């Protein structure tokens, strides 16, 4: 376990995600250790990766309406007419967390370096907009909350005409994991306990609301509800546990 | 809940999956009720869909070795040299459970009929062999077990170089859900409680073993372990609960 987590952690370390100044950043900006190094090469060599959390033509009216609801609270206007940060913050989303893949020297069937370089985040691996997961996350630091607006496309089918239980679990892991990382720094999922209450029709837009339950040492406990956007229908309820992974924990076994 | 499940159930009913003679069959063979009706139109009008659980060139040596291990136990030779059914049975796998999608009259943003016809099973929605989930399921009726051999491709990434927790949950839901259906007829996932013990490197082949724990009325309790193919490394442990969905339960509310 320690060796596997160690490899993952090295990836985080390369990008400085183990520092206290952790930010969710595109992979082309490469900080090293706790000191951020800005890449100063011409930008055409390192084009800005696509931020998948921005609206695209596949978004339906409900997805767009919910996005605008939270986006409008990311920057608010004071009485004096000045703009300032609001309670919510939109998190960008790319098709890979880090431009990095570990090389495994032995055991099992492992990917070639060429294929490793093609690795893509599971939730962003379909190129066709609207076909799979269309989602955007917002965090509220003061309320220790995270919300995700999800529009479920036609390639996520499980029961006929409805979203696969695994696709729902995938979004729950993504949202609670991002929230736990925001609260506690780099983490790994230790437990997901998901109660499925009501199936989600393909094509519908739902809301995932993630709340901090408590923090105990390395443990971050999160709860998450998936509901219709007006909150009237409960689709799933989840309790999740994440374990912090830090250099000191790894060194200490 | 009842209305949503009702729509799903109608899909099962159309294909006779609510009958006791339930089999996992391709969608082009359409049984009705408890009497199977064989489609007798020319086969070129209803070409046999691709069975994704058969070997393809993307399979690595470990995936192939494990497949041959179980496949060889699907048909065994008696002392007299005759062939007979073995303890295991391979389950075919298609890119859609049923050629059916519900039409939702109101609420939310729903898919057009054209897009509904494009719906694909979440675990089979990537066309490129080897890029995502390569898997095959075998069931053992006598031992009430189900195993799945999984080769995790480069489009399933979560933590750098490792499989997304949601992708693991997806396969667990698929395997335990298929097993529960095999044991109890049509079911819906009610709970998944997943403990993540050790991350799975992208590209590796792992084994999912699903066992019946108990059946109580409509409830089927299943446990599932994800391990390395030699069983030496435990990746996840899961307890799962499935609820049977039948016409009588639906009529009774």
């Amino acid at each position: 376990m320690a060796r596997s987590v160690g490899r993952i952690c090295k990836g985080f370390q390369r990008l400085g995600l183990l520092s206290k100044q952790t930010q969710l950043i595109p992979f082309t900006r490469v900080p090293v250790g706790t000191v951020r190094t800005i890449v100063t090469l011409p930008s055409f060599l390192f084009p800005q990766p696509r931020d998948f959390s921005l609206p695209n033509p596949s978004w339906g009216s409900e997805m767009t309406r919910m996005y605008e609801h939270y986006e409008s609270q990311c920057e608010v206007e004071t009485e004096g007419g000045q703009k300032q940060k609001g309670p919510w913050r939109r998190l960008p989303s790319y098709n890979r967390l880090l431009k990095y893949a570990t090389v495994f020297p032995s055991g099992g069937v492992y990917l070639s370096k060429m294929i490793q370089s093609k690795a893509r985040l599971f939730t962003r691996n379909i190129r066709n907009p609207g076909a799979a997961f269309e989602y955007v996350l917002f965090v509220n630091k003061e309320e220790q909350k995270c919300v995700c607006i999800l529009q479920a496309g036609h390639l996520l089918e499980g029961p006929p005409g409805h979203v696969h239980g695994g696709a729902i679990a995938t979004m729950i892991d993504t949202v609670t994991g991002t929230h736990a990382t925001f609260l506690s720094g780099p983490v790994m999922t230790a437990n997901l306990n998901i109660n499925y209450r009501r199936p989600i029709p393909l094509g519908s837009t739902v809301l995932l609301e993630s709340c901090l339950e408590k923090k105990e040492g390395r443990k971050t406990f999160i709860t998450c509800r998936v509901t219709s956007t007006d909150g009237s229908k409960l689709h799933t309820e989840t309790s999740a546990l994440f374990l912090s992974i830090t250099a000191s924990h790894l060194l200490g076994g």
Side-chain angles (χ1 to χ4, degrees), chain A:
Chain A
M1 178 69 176
R3 282 184 64 189
S4 295
V5 174
R7 289 189 195 107
I8 294 170
C9 217
K10 275 183 189 167
F12 282 119
Q13 277 180 316
R14 285 191 192 184
L15 297 202
L17 290 178
L18 291 183
S19 79
K20 284 292 178 190
Q21 289 77 40
T22 295
Q23 285 185 6
L24 297 167
I25 51 174
F27 56 70
T28 51
R29 301 287 174 264
V30 187
V32 179
T34 56
V35 181
R36 288 175 182 276
T37 305
I38 305 301
V39 176
T40 54
L41 290 168
S43 62
F44 65 83
L45 289 177
F46 297 93
Q48 193 70 15
R50 179 185 161 195
D51 180 355
F52 288 83
S53 72
L54 294 170
N56 70 58
S58 79
W59 286 18
S61 58
E62 189 62 9
M63 179 81 186
T64 305
R65 189 184 70 77
M66 292 298 292
Y67 172 84
E68 287 170 353
H69 171 75
Y70 285 100
E71 181 65 19
S72 68
Q73 296 177 64
C74 291
E75 198 176 65
V76 292
E77 206 163 293
T78 62
E79 285 184 3
Q82 285 184 316
K83 287 186 176 178
Q84 63 178 35
K85 278 185 180 176
W88 291 93
R89 176 184 154 201
R90 183 180 62 80
L91 297 180
S93 174
Y94 306 93
N95 65 4
R96 199 156 190 212
L97 184 60
L98 309 172
K99 197 172 186 176
Y100 164 84
T102 50
V103 179
F104 307 102
S106 64
V109 177
Y110 294 120
L111 298 173
S112 68
K113 280 191 178 181
M114 188 190 77
I115 292 180
Q116 282 184 40
S117 69
K118 291 180 180 174
R120 290 290 172 269
L121 194 64
F122 181 45
T123 56
R124 298 294 189 193
N125 67 10
I126 301 279
R127 288 173 186 269
N128 186 10
F133 300 104
E134 287 293 334
Y135 66 94
V136 52
L137 276 74
F138 292 88
V139 286
N140 187 316
K141 193 174 178 181
E142 199 175 307
E143 294 183 15
Q144 297 188 316
K145 269 189 176 183
C146 179
V147 298
C148 169
I149 311 156
L150 165 69
Q151 181 181 291
H154 59 276
L155 296 186
L156 304 184
E157 195 176 49
H162 291 76
V163 182
H164 195 292
I168 301 167
T170 297
M171 283 312 302
I172 290 169
D173 187 35
T174 297
V175 176
T176 54
T178 303
H179 192 195
T181 302
F182 186 80
L183 294 164
S184 307
V187 295
M188 293 286 283
T189 314
N191 175 264
L192 287 181
N193 190 352
I194 307 170
N195 288 307
Y196 293 88
R197 306 291 188 200
R198 180 195 294 262
I200 300 174
L202 279 184
S204 58
T205 298
V206 293
L207 191 67
L208 291 90
E209 287 185 289
S210 171
C211 296
L212 173 66
E213 195 186 331
K214 60 180 175 179
K215 288 173 71 173
E216 282 179 0
R218 290 178 61 199
K219 296 176 181 174
T220 303
F221 295 85
I222 304 266
T223 58
C224 181
R225 283 162 54 92
V226 183
T227 65
S228 54
T229 51
D230 64 0
S232 66
K233 291 177 189 168
L234 176 64
H235 293 289
T236 71
E237 286 178 302
T238 301
S239 61
L241 167 62
F242 294 88
L243 286 184
S244 292
I245 50 169
T246 64
S248 60
H249 282 119
L250 285 169
L251 291 172

Short mmCIF file of all heavy atoms in Angstrom, two decimals, chain A residues 125-183:
data_model
loop_
_atom_site.label_atom_id
_atom_site.label_comp_id
_atom_site.label_asym_id
_atom_site.label_seq_id
_atom_site.Cartn_x
_atom_site.Cartn_y
_atom_site.Cartn_z
N ASN A 125 -13.38 11.31 -20.18
CA ASN A 125 -12.73 10.53 -21.24
C ASN A 125 -13.54 10.42 -22.53
O ASN A 125 -13.10 9.81 -23.49
CB ASN A 125 -12.35 9.13 -20.72
CG ASN A 125 -13.55 8.25 -20.40
OD1 ASN A 125 -14.68 8.61 -20.74
ND2 ASN A 125 -13.32 7.13 -19.76
N ILE A 126 -14.72 11.03 -22.56
CA ILE A 126 -15.54 11.03 -23.78
C ILE A 126 -15.43 12.41 -24.42
O ILE A 126 -15.70 13.42 -23.77
CB ILE A 126 -17.03 10.72 -23.45
CG1 ILE A 126 -17.16 9.35 -22.77
CG2 ILE A 126 -17.90 10.84 -24.69
CD1 ILE A 126 -17.18 8.16 -23.68
N ARG A 127 -15.04 12.44 -25.70
CA ARG A 127 -14.81 13.72 -26.37
C ARG A 127 -16.11 14.43 -26.77
O ARG A 127 -16.16 15.65 -26.86
CB ARG A 127 -13.97 13.52 -27.63
CG ARG A 127 -12.51 13.19 -27.33
CD ARG A 127 -11.78 12.84 -28.61
NE ARG A 127 -10.41 12.39 -28.32
CZ ARG A 127 -9.37 13.19 -28.27
NH1 ARG A 127 -9.51 14.48 -28.51
NH2 ARG A 127 -8.17 12.72 -27.99
N ASN A 128 -17.14 13.65 -27.04
CA ASN A 128 -18.39 14.21 -27.56
C ASN A 128 -19.14 14.97 -26.45
O ASN A 128 -19.65 14.34 -25.52
CB ASN A 128 -19.24 13.05 -28.10
CG ASN A 128 -20.49 13.53 -28.80
OD1 ASN A 128 -20.64 14.72 -29.04
ND2 ASN A 128 -21.38 12.61 -29.11
N PRO A 129 -19.26 16.31 -26.55
CA PRO A 129 -19.93 17.07 -25.48
C PRO A 129 -21.38 16.60 -25.27
O PRO A 129 -22.10 16.35 -26.24
CB PRO A 129 -19.91 18.51 -26.00
CG PRO A 129 -18.80 18.56 -26.98
CD PRO A 129 -18.78 17.19 -27.62
N GLY A 130 -21.74 16.42 -24.02
CA GLY A 130 -23.11 16.04 -23.68
C GLY A 130 -23.37 14.55 -23.67
O GLY A 130 -24.43 14.11 -23.22
N ALA A 131 -22.42 13.76 -24.19
CA ALA A 131 -22.68 12.32 -24.31
C ALA A 131 -22.51 11.58 -22.99
O ALA A 131 -23.13 10.54 -22.79
CB ALA A 131 -21.74 11.71 -25.36
N ALA A 132 -21.67 12.11 -22.11
CA ALA A 132 -21.41 11.39 -20.85
C ALA A 132 -21.63 12.35 -19.66
O ALA A 132 -22.75 12.81 -19.44
CB ALA A 132 -20.01 10.81 -20.86
N PHE A 133 -20.57 12.62 -18.89
CA PHE A 133 -20.70 13.49 -17.73
C PHE A 133 -20.51 14.96 -18.13
O PHE A 133 -19.43 15.33 -18.58
CB PHE A 133 -19.63 13.17 -16.68
CG PHE A 133 -19.65 11.78 -16.12
CD1 PHE A 133 -18.73 10.82 -16.54
CD2 PHE A 133 -20.58 11.41 -15.15
CE1 PHE A 133 -18.73 9.54 -16.00
CE2 PHE A 133 -20.58 10.13 -14.61
CZ PHE A 133 -19.65 9.19 -15.04
N GLU A 134 -21.53 15.76 -17.99
CA GLU A 134 -21.34 17.22 -18.07
C GLU A 134 -21.53 17.71 -16.64
O GLU A 134 -22.60 17.53 -16.05
CB GLU A 134 -22.37 17.85 -19.00
CG GLU A 134 -22.13 17.61 -20.48
CD GLU A 134 -20.86 18.28 -21.02
OE1 GLU A 134 -20.44 19.31 -20.43
OE2 GLU A 134 -20.31 17.76 -22.00
N TYR A 135 -20.48 18.29 -16.08
CA TYR A 135 -20.60 18.70 -14.67
C TYR A 135 -19.69 19.88 -14.34
O TYR A 135 -18.70 20.13 -15.03
CB TYR A 135 -20.30 17.53 -13.73
CG TYR A 135 -18.88 17.02 -13.76
CD1 TYR A 135 -17.93 17.48 -12.84
CD2 TYR A 135 -18.47 16.06 -14.69
CE1 TYR A 135 -16.63 17.00 -12.85
CE2 TYR A 135 -17.17 15.58 -14.71
CZ TYR A 135 -16.26 16.05 -13.79
OH TYR A 135 -14.97 15.58 -13.82
N VAL A 136 -20.10 20.57 -13.30
CA VAL A 136 -19.31 21.69 -12.80
C VAL A 136 -19.43 21.72 -11.28
O VAL A 136 -20.51 21.46 -10.73
CB VAL A 136 -19.75 23.03 -13.45
CG1 VAL A 136 -21.24 23.24 -13.33
CG2 VAL A 136 -19.02 24.22 -12.84
N LEU A 137 -18.29 22.00 -10.63
CA LEU A 137 -18.26 22.02 -9.16
C LEU A 137 -18.07 23.44 -8.64
O LEU A 137 -17.30 24.22 -9.22
CB LEU A 137 -17.11 21.15 -8.62
CG LEU A 137 -17.37 19.65 -8.46
CD1 LEU A 137 -17.36 18.96 -9.81
CD2 LEU A 137 -16.32 19.04 -7.53
N PHE A 138 -18.75 23.75 -7.54
CA PHE A 138 -18.56 25.01 -6.83
C PHE A 138 -18.30 24.69 -5.36
O PHE A 138 -18.93 23.78 -4.80
CB PHE A 138 -19.82 25.89 -6.93
CG PHE A 138 -20.13 26.41 -8.31
CD1 PHE A 138 -20.90 25.67 -9.20
CD2 PHE A 138 -19.63 27.64 -8.73
CE1 PHE A 138 -21.19 26.14 -10.47
CE2 PHE A 138 -19.92 28.12 -10.00
CZ PHE A 138 -20.70 27.37 -10.88
N VAL A 139 -17.38 25.45 -4.75
CA VAL A 139 -17.13 25.24 -3.31
C VAL A 139 -17.47 26.52 -2.54
O VAL A 139 -17.35 27.63 -3.06
CB VAL A 139 -15.66 24.86 -3.01
CG1 VAL A 139 -15.37 23.43 -3.41
CG2 VAL A 139 -14.70 25.84 -3.65
N ASN A 140 -17.90 26.31 -1.30
CA ASN A 140 -18.19 27.41 -0.40
C ASN A 140 -17.35 27.19 0.84
O ASN A 140 -17.64 26.30 1.66
CB ASN A 140 -19.68 27.41 -0.06
CG ASN A 140 -20.10 28.62 0.75
OD1 ASN A 140 -19.41 29.00 1.69
ND2 ASN A 140 -21.24 29.20 0.38
N LYS A 141 -16.27 27.98 0.96
CA LYS A 141 -15.28 27.77 2.02
C LYS A 141 -15.90 27.99 3.40
O LYS A 141 -15.65 27.23 4.33
CB LYS A 141 -14.09 28.72 1.80
CG LYS A 141 -12.87 28.39 2.63
CD LYS A 141 -11.71 29.29 2.25
CE LYS A 141 -10.49 28.99 3.11
NZ LYS A 141 -9.35 29.86 2.77
N GLU A 142 -16.70 29.05 3.52
CA GLU A 142 -17.24 29.40 4.83
C GLU A 142 -18.21 28.32 5.34
O GLU A 142 -18.16 27.93 6.49
CB GLU A 142 -17.97 30.74 4.73
CG GLU A 142 -18.16 31.41 6.08
CD GLU A 142 -18.78 32.80 5.93
OE1 GLU A 142 -18.21 33.59 5.15
OE2 GLU A 142 -19.82 33.06 6.58
N GLU A 143 -19.06 27.86 4.43
CA GLU A 143 -20.03 26.82 4.83
C GLU A 143 -19.47 25.42 4.74
O GLU A 143 -20.17 24.44 5.04
CB GLU A 143 -21.30 26.93 3.94
CG GLU A 143 -22.08 28.21 4.13
CD GLU A 143 -23.36 28.24 3.30
OE1 GLU A 143 -23.78 27.18 2.80
OE2 GLU A 143 -23.91 29.34 3.13
N GLN A 144 -18.21 25.29 4.30
CA GLN A 144 -17.56 23.98 4.12
C GLN A 144 -18.43 23.03 3.29
O GLN A 144 -18.62 21.87 3.64
CB GLN A 144 -17.21 23.38 5.48
CG GLN A 144 -16.20 24.24 6.24
CD GLN A 144 -15.68 23.60 7.50
OE1 GLN A 144 -16.45 23.03 8.26
NE2 GLN A 144 -14.38 23.66 7.71
N LYS A 145 -18.96 23.58 2.20
CA LYS A 145 -19.83 22.83 1.31
C LYS A 145 -19.25 22.79 -0.10
O LYS A 145 -18.48 23.67 -0.50
CB LYS A 145 -21.20 23.53 1.21
CG LYS A 145 -22.23 23.06 2.21
CD LYS A 145 -23.57 23.67 1.84
CE LYS A 145 -24.68 23.17 2.73
NZ LYS A 145 -25.98 23.71 2.35
N CYS A 146 -19.65 21.78 -0.83
CA CYS A 146 -19.31 21.70 -2.25
C CYS A 146 -20.55 21.22 -2.99
O CYS A 146 -21.24 20.31 -2.52
CB CYS A 146 -18.15 20.73 -2.44
SG CYS A 146 -17.61 20.50 -4.15
N VAL A 147 -20.87 21.85 -4.11
CA VAL A 147 -22.00 21.37 -4.91
C VAL A 147 -21.51 21.04 -6.32
O VAL A 147 -20.51 21.60 -6.79
CB VAL A 147 -23.17 22.39 -5.01
CG1 VAL A 147 -23.76 22.69 -3.65
CG2 VAL A 147 -22.74 23.64 -5.74
N CYS A 148 -22.21 20.12 -6.94
CA CYS A 148 -21.90 19.75 -8.32
C CYS A 148 -23.22 19.69 -9.09
O CYS A 148 -24.19 19.09 -8.63
CB CYS A 148 -21.22 18.40 -8.35
SG CYS A 148 -21.07 17.68 -10.01
N ILE A 149 -23.24 20.35 -10.23
CA ILE A 149 -24.40 20.25 -11.13
C ILE A 149 -24.01 19.24 -12.20
O ILE A 149 -22.97 19.40 -12.86
CB ILE A 149 -24.73 21.61 -11.77
CG1 ILE A 149 -24.78 22.70 -10.70
CG2 ILE A 149 -26.05 21.55 -12.53
CD1 ILE A 149 -24.52 24.10 -11.26
N LEU A 150 -24.82 18.22 -12.35
CA LEU A 150 -24.51 17.13 -13.28
C LEU A 150 -25.63 16.95 -14.29
O LEU A 150 -26.80 16.84 -13.91
CB LEU A 150 -24.33 15.82 -12.51
CG LEU A 150 -24.36 14.52 -13.33
CD1 LEU A 150 -23.14 14.40 -14.23
CD2 LEU A 150 -24.44 13.30 -12.41
N GLN A 151 -25.25 16.93 -15.56
CA GLN A 151 -26.18 16.54 -16.62
C GLN A 151 -25.71 15.19 -17.16
O GLN A 151 -24.59 15.07 -17.67
CB GLN A 151 -26.20 17.58 -17.73
CG GLN A 151 -27.18 17.26 -18.87
CD GLN A 151 -27.13 18.32 -19.97
OE1 GLN A 151 -27.55 19.46 -19.77
NE2 GLN A 151 -26.58 17.97 -21.12
N ALA A 152 -26.55 14.17 -17.01
CA ALA A 152 -26.13 12.80 -17.32
C ALA A 152 -26.47 12.44 -18.76
O ALA A 152 -27.64 12.37 -19.13
CB ALA A 152 -26.80 11.83 -16.36
N GLY A 153 -25.46 12.18 -19.57
CA GLY A 153 -25.65 11.91 -21.00
C GLY A 153 -26.01 10.46 -21.31
O GLY A 153 -26.03 9.60 -20.43
N HIS A 154 -26.24 10.20 -22.61
CA HIS A 154 -26.77 8.90 -23.04
C HIS A 154 -25.76 7.76 -22.99
O HIS A 154 -26.13 6.61 -23.18
CB HIS A 154 -27.37 9.02 -24.45
CG HIS A 154 -26.38 9.49 -25.48
ND1 HIS A 154 -26.08 10.81 -25.69
CD2 HIS A 154 -25.61 8.80 -26.34
CE1 HIS A 154 -25.18 10.92 -26.65
NE2 HIS A 154 -24.88 9.71 -27.06
N LEU A 155 -24.48 8.06 -22.75
CA LEU A 155 -23.48 6.98 -22.67
C LEU A 155 -23.26 6.51 -21.23
O LEU A 155 -22.29 5.82 -20.95
CB LEU A 155 -22.15 7.44 -23.29
CG LEU A 155 -22.17 7.75 -24.78
CD1 LEU A 155 -20.76 8.03 -25.29
CD2 LEU A 155 -22.78 6.61 -25.58
N LEU A 156 -24.15 6.89 -20.33
CA LEU A 156 -24.00 6.51 -18.92
C LEU A 156 -25.05 5.48 -18.50
O LEU A 156 -25.33 5.32 -17.31
CB LEU A 156 -24.13 7.75 -18.01
CG LEU A 156 -23.20 8.92 -18.28
CD1 LEU A 156 -23.41 10.01 -17.23
CD2 LEU A 156 -21.74 8.48 -18.26
N GLU A 157 -25.60 4.78 -19.46
CA GLU A 157 -26.75 3.93 -19.15
C GLU A 157 -26.41 2.71 -18.29
O GLU A 157 -25.37 2.07 -18.45
CB GLU A 157 -27.43 3.45 -20.44
CG GLU A 157 -28.82 2.88 -20.18
CD GLU A 157 -29.54 2.49 -21.47
OE1 GLU A 157 -28.94 1.79 -22.30
OE2 GLU A 157 -30.70 2.88 -21.64
N GLY A 158 -27.31 2.42 -17.36
CA GLY A 158 -27.29 1.18 -16.59
C GLY A 158 -28.61 0.49 -16.81
O GLY A 158 -28.84 -0.11 -17.87
N PRO A 159 -29.59 0.62 -15.86
CA PRO A 159 -30.93 0.13 -16.15
C PRO A 159 -31.48 0.90 -17.35
O PRO A 159 -31.15 2.08 -17.54
CB PRO A 159 -31.73 0.50 -14.88
CG PRO A 159 -30.70 0.75 -13.83
CD PRO A 159 -29.48 1.25 -14.53
N PRO A 160 -32.27 0.24 -18.19
CA PRO A 160 -32.74 0.89 -19.43
C PRO A 160 -33.29 2.30 -19.21
O PRO A 160 -34.20 2.49 -18.42
CB PRO A 160 -33.85 -0.06 -19.91
CG PRO A 160 -33.48 -1.38 -19.34
CD PRO A 160 -32.83 -1.10 -18.02
N GLY A 161 -32.69 3.27 -19.90
CA GLY A 161 -33.16 4.64 -19.81
C GLY A 161 -32.71 5.39 -18.57
O GLY A 161 -33.08 6.55 -18.37
N HIS A 162 -31.92 4.75 -17.73
CA HIS A 162 -31.49 5.38 -16.47
C HIS A 162 -29.98 5.28 -16.28
O HIS A 162 -29.31 4.47 -16.92
CB HIS A 162 -32.22 4.72 -15.29
CG HIS A 162 -33.68 5.03 -15.26
ND1 HIS A 162 -34.58 4.41 -16.12
CD2 HIS A 162 -34.40 5.91 -14.52
CE1 HIS A 162 -35.79 4.90 -15.90
NE2 HIS A 162 -35.71 5.81 -14.93
N VAL A 163 -29.47 6.13 -15.39
CA VAL A 163 -28.03 6.22 -15.18
C VAL A 163 -27.52 5.00 -14.41
O VAL A 163 -28.15 4.55 -13.45
CB VAL A 163 -27.68 7.53 -14.42
CG1 VAL A 163 -26.16 7.65 -14.25
CG2 VAL A 163 -28.21 8.74 -15.19
N HIS A 164 -26.38 4.48 -14.83
CA HIS A 164 -25.72 3.34 -14.18
C HIS A 164 -25.35 3.70 -12.74
O HIS A 164 -24.88 4.81 -12.48
CB HIS A 164 -24.45 3.00 -14.98
CG HIS A 164 -23.85 1.66 -14.69
ND1 HIS A 164 -23.27 1.34 -13.49
CD2 HIS A 164 -23.76 0.55 -15.46
CE1 HIS A 164 -22.82 0.09 -13.53
NE2 HIS A 164 -23.11 -0.42 -14.72
N GLY A 165 -25.56 2.75 -11.82
CA GLY A 165 -25.19 2.97 -10.43
C GLY A 165 -23.72 3.32 -10.28
O GLY A 165 -23.34 4.10 -9.41
N GLY A 166 -22.88 2.76 -11.15
CA GLY A 166 -21.45 3.05 -11.11
C GLY A 166 -21.14 4.47 -11.56
O GLY A 166 -20.20 5.10 -11.06
N ALA A 167 -21.92 4.98 -12.51
CA ALA A 167 -21.73 6.36 -12.97
C ALA A 167 -22.10 7.34 -11.85
O ALA A 167 -21.44 8.37 -11.66
CB ALA A 167 -22.57 6.63 -14.21
N ILE A 168 -23.15 6.99 -11.10
CA ILE A 168 -23.54 7.82 -9.96
C ILE A 168 -22.44 7.77 -8.89
O ILE A 168 -22.03 8.81 -8.35
CB ILE A 168 -24.89 7.34 -9.38
CG1 ILE A 168 -25.99 7.41 -10.45
CG2 ILE A 168 -25.28 8.17 -8.16
CD1 ILE A 168 -27.28 6.68 -10.07
N ALA A 169 -21.94 6.56 -8.62
CA ALA A 169 -20.84 6.41 -7.65
C ALA A 169 -19.61 7.20 -8.09
O ALA A 169 -18.91 7.80 -7.26
CB ALA A 169 -20.50 4.93 -7.49
N THR A 170 -19.37 7.21 -9.38
CA THR A 170 -18.21 7.93 -9.93
C THR A 170 -18.30 9.43 -9.63
O THR A 170 -17.33 10.06 -9.20
CB THR A 170 -18.13 7.70 -11.45
OG1 THR A 170 -17.92 6.31 -11.69
CG2 THR A 170 -17.01 8.51 -12.09
N MET A 171 -19.49 9.99 -9.84
CA MET A 171 -19.65 11.42 -9.57
C MET A 171 -19.59 11.70 -8.06
O MET A 171 -19.06 12.73 -7.63
CB MET A 171 -20.96 11.95 -10.16
CG MET A 171 -20.91 12.16 -11.66
SD MET A 171 -19.45 13.07 -12.25
CE MET A 171 -19.61 14.59 -11.35
N ILE A 172 -20.14 10.79 -7.26
CA ILE A 172 -20.08 10.97 -5.80
C ILE A 172 -18.62 10.95 -5.34
O ILE A 172 -18.20 11.80 -4.55
CB ILE A 172 -20.92 9.87 -5.10
CG1 ILE A 172 -22.41 10.10 -5.36
CG2 ILE A 172 -20.61 9.83 -3.60
CD1 ILE A 172 -23.30 8.94 -4.95
N ASP A 173 -17.85 10.00 -5.86
CA ASP A 173 -16.42 9.92 -5.50
C ASP A 173 -15.69 11.18 -5.94
O ASP A 173 -14.86 11.73 -5.22
CB ASP A 173 -15.81 8.68 -6.15
CG ASP A 173 -14.37 8.43 -5.68
OD1 ASP A 173 -14.07 8.70 -4.50
OD2 ASP A 173 -13.54 7.98 -6.50
N THR A 174 -16.03 11.66 -7.14
CA THR A 174 -15.38 12.86 -7.67
C THR A 174 -15.69 14.09 -6.81
O THR A 174 -14.78 14.85 -6.44
CB THR A 174 -15.87 13.11 -9.12
OG1 THR A 174 -15.46 12.00 -9.93
CG2 THR A 174 -15.32 14.40 -9.70
N VAL A 175 -16.95 14.25 -6.46
CA VAL A 175 -17.36 15.46 -5.73
C VAL A 175 -16.86 15.42 -4.28
O VAL A 175 -16.27 16.37 -3.79
CB VAL A 175 -18.90 15.62 -5.78
CG1 VAL A 175 -19.34 16.81 -4.95
CG2 VAL A 175 -19.36 15.77 -7.22
N THR A 176 -17.08 14.29 -3.61
CA THR A 176 -16.63 14.20 -2.20
C THR A 176 -15.10 14.21 -2.14
O THR A 176 -14.53 14.80 -1.22
CB THR A 176 -17.19 12.93 -1.53
OG1 THR A 176 -16.86 11.78 -2.31
CG2 THR A 176 -18.69 13.00 -1.38
N GLY A 177 -14.45 13.57 -3.11
CA GLY A 177 -12.98 13.56 -3.13
C GLY A 177 -12.40 14.95 -3.36
O GLY A 177 -11.44 15.35 -2.72
N THR A 178 -13.01 15.69 -4.28
CA THR A 178 -12.55 17.07 -4.54
C THR A 178 -12.79 17.92 -3.30
O THR A 178 -11.93 18.73 -2.91
CB THR A 178 -13.32 17.65 -5.75
OG1 THR A 178 -13.12 16.80 -6.87
CG2 THR A 178 -12.85 19.06 -6.07
N HIS A 179 -13.94 17.74 -2.67
CA HIS A 179 -14.27 18.50 -1.47
C HIS A 179 -13.29 18.19 -0.35
O HIS A 179 -12.77 19.09 0.33
CB HIS A 179 -15.71 18.17 -1.04
CG HIS A 179 -16.25 19.09 0.01
ND1 HIS A 179 -17.37 18.79 0.73
CD2 HIS A 179 -15.81 20.30 0.47
CE1 HIS A 179 -17.61 19.77 1.58
NE2 HIS A 179 -16.69 20.70 1.44
N ALA A 180 -13.01 16.89 -0.16
CA ALA A 180 -12.06 16.48 0.90
C ALA A 180 -10.67 17.05 0.63
O ALA A 180 -9.98 17.50 1.56
CB ALA A 180 -12.01 14.96 1.00
N THR A 181 -10.26 17.06 -0.65
CA THR A 181 -8.96 17.63 -1.02
C THR A 181 -8.94 19.12 -0.73
O THR A 181 -7.94 19.66 -0.23
CB THR A 181 -8.67 17.38 -2.53
OG1 THR A 181 -8.70 15.98 -2.77
CG2 THR A 181 -7.32 17.94 -2.94
N PHE A 182 -10.03 19.78 -1.01
CA PHE A 182 -10.15 21.22 -0.75
C PHE A 182 -10.03 21.51 0.75
O PHE A 182 -9.43 22.50 1.16
CB PHE A 182 -11.51 21.72 -1.28
CG PHE A 182 -11.69 23.20 -1.22
CD1 PHE A 182 -11.13 24.02 -2.19
CD2 PHE A 182 -12.41 23.79 -0.19
CE1 PHE A 182 -11.29 25.40 -2.13
CE2 PHE A 182 -12.58 25.16 -0.13
CZ PHE A 182 -12.02 25.98 -1.10
N LEU A 183 -10.60 20.61 1.56
CA LEU A 183 -10.60 20.81 3.02
C LEU A 183 -9.31 20.34 3.68
O LEU A 183 -8.85 20.95 4.65
CB LEU A 183 -11.77 20.04 3.65
CG LEU A 183 -13.19 20.50 3.30
CD1 LEU A 183 -14.20 19.43 3.68
CD2 LEU A 183 -13.51 21.82 4.02
#
